[in-house]
């Protein structure tokens, strides 16, 4: 039976390949053999073949988008230790994981000391956004400032095409370790102003909101303008608790 199925599907395989349905080509022989064995109805077999193509394409899309987004690997919502960090409401993160706030071009601001899981949640929500079909781009804050300064001379039409402007979700990690110069603060304001109402952002920072004036070159007017836009439609997560890295270090010493 297997040899006969193999001979009978050569023409079908060629037609699927000609249509660019490579995942269906790979799945055809196994699905057809199973359909013959179990007397599966034709429409169920066809649905299974189409699902093989759909799931294969989706897996390829996610892998490509993750690579393009440059999100650090290994930090997902599934492997986040909520039990260790009770300050983070799991239900709230699960609500954010639906992606509705991205469609509304809102902001998540995560603030707290180093090591409490801000970056992990940022990466996890970024990965989930890609799975939901959104375009995502990750930057450490120092990398973002470098990109903004390199592009400072660009006209608006070209600037809007940059990924930090055009992505549905911009991930900005580790903001606040060094104060900005006046030029850097102005460029950051331009970014925030453009994305306001157009694109979602997640920002992690070790600075509380009251310290942003100092962070933004001591310019109170600029800090107020930036925070006004960021906080207008923001989800603010104040994360306080033990450091995951210190916990791992303590466990290493105990081992």
């Amino acid at each position: 039976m297997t040899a006969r199925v193999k001979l009978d599907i050569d023409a079908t395989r060629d037609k699927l390949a000609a249509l660019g349905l490579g995942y269906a080509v790979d799945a055809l022989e196994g699905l057809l053999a199973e359909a013959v064995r179990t007397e599966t109805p034709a429409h169920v077999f066809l649905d299974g073949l189409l699902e093989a193509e759909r799931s294969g394409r989706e897996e390829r899309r996610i892998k490509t988008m993750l690579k393009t987004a440059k999100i650090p690997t290994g930090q997902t919502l599934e492997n986040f230790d909520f039990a260790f960090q009770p300050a983070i409401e799991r239900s709230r993160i699960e609500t954010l994981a639906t992606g509705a706030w991205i469609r509304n071009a809102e902001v998540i601001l995560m603030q707290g000391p180093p090591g409490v899981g801000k970056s992990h949640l940022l990466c996890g929500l970024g990965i989930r956004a890609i799975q939901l079909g959104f375009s995502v781009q990750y930057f450490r804050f120092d990398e973002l400032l470098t990109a903004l300064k390199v592009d400072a001379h660009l006209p608006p039409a070209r600037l809007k095409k940059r990924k930090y402007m055009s992505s549905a979700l911009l991930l900005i990690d580790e903001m606040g370790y060094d104060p900005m110069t006046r030029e850097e603060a102005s460029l950051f304001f331009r970014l925030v102003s453009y994305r306001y109402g157009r694109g979602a952002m997640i920002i992690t920072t070790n600075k509380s909101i009251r310290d942003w004036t100092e962070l933004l070159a001591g310019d109170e007017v600029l800090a107020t303008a930036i925070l006004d836009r960021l906080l207008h439609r923001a989800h603010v997560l104040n994360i306080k608790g033990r450091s995951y890295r210190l916990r791992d270090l303590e466990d290493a010493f105990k081992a």
Side-chain angles (χ1 to χ4, degrees):
M1 177 65 70
T2 302
R4 206 172 105 197
V5 169
K6 218 170 188 180
L7 289 172
D8 290 345
I9 66 173
D10 285 343
T12 304
R13 184 189 286 113
D14 290 343
K15 290 173 183 176
L16 290 171
L19 292 170
L21 304 176
Y23 297 104
V25 170
D26 294 338
L28 177 62
E29 184 172 350
L31 288 176
L32 185 55
E34 179 67 13
V36 170
R37 186 182 68 81
T38 60
E39 298 183 354
T40 301
H43 72 280
V44 176
F45 162 73
L46 179 59
D47 184 68
L49 190 65
L50 292 174
E51 175 57 24
E53 181 66 29
R54 187 208 64 80
S55 62
R57 290 189 179 197
E58 179 64 6
E59 183 179 350
R60 181 180 64 189
R61 181 192 70 80
I62 290 173
K63 286 182 179 179
T64 301
M65 293 296 290
L66 285 173
K67 185 176 181 180
T68 303
K70 298 183 179 179
I71 302 175
T73 59
Q75 297 179 315
T76 66
L77 294 180
E78 288 74 18
N79 63 23
F80 186 83
D81 189 354
F82 286 95
F84 180 77
Q85 207 61 280
I88 301 172
E89 297 179 38
R90 185 171 196 149
S91 60
R92 190 175 185 187
I93 300 302
E94 289 173 346
T95 298
L96 293 172
T98 64
W101 64 279
I102 304 175
R103 296 182 188 91
N104 295 329
E106 296 171 357
V107 174
I108 297 177
L109 179 61
M110 300 185 196
Q111 53 189 34
V116 294
K118 303 185 302 296
S119 295
H120 192 142
L121 287 174
L122 173 141
C123 292
L125 288 170
I127 292 170
R128 180 60 57 82
I130 287 174
Q131 292 169 343
L132 292 171
F134 295 103
S135 59
V136 179
Q137 195 64 39
Y138 171 94
F139 284 91
R140 284 202 325 268
F141 188 66
D142 60 325
E143 296 171 336
L144 177 63
L145 286 180
T146 297
L148 292 176
K149 285 187 277 190
V150 168
D151 296 340
H153 67 287
L154 292 180
R158 289 186 60 191
L159 193 63
K160 291 175 183 178
K161 296 179 181 179
R162 291 293 191 254
K163 288 182 178 179
Y164 53 74
M165 293 291 199
S166 62
S167 296
L169 173 60
L170 176 63
L171 307 176
I172 303 176
D173 200 12
E174 299 181 349
M175 177 181 174
Y177 285 94
D178 294 302
M180 288 175 245
T181 65
R182 187 67 177 76
E183 177 198 8
E184 291 169 342
S186 296
L187 290 171
F188 184 59
F189 172 70
R190 182 171 69 169
L191 170 72
V192 171
S193 295
Y194 178 77
R195 292 191 64 87
Y196 176 63
R198 293 187 181 94
M201 290 188 285
I202 302 178
I203 300 174
T204 69
T205 178
N206 63 341
K207 298 292 186 184
S208 64
I209 291 172
R210 66 176 178 271
D211 296 325
W212 276 48
T213 297
E214 178 185 352
L215 177 62
L216 291 158
D219 190 322
E220 185 174 353
V221 173
L222 192 59
T224 300
I226 289 174
L227 286 170
D228 179 65
R229 288 161 174 78
L230 288 179
L231 299 179
H232 178 215
R233 304 172 72 184
H235 306 266
V236 180
L237 304 179
N238 292 301
I239 305 174
K240 299 177 181 178
R242 294 177 59 203
S243 166
Y244 287 93
R245 287 186 286 272
L246 290 179
R247 178 196 65 176
D248 293 341
L249 186 59
E250 290 170 1
D251 292 343
F253 280 126
K254 291 176 183 177

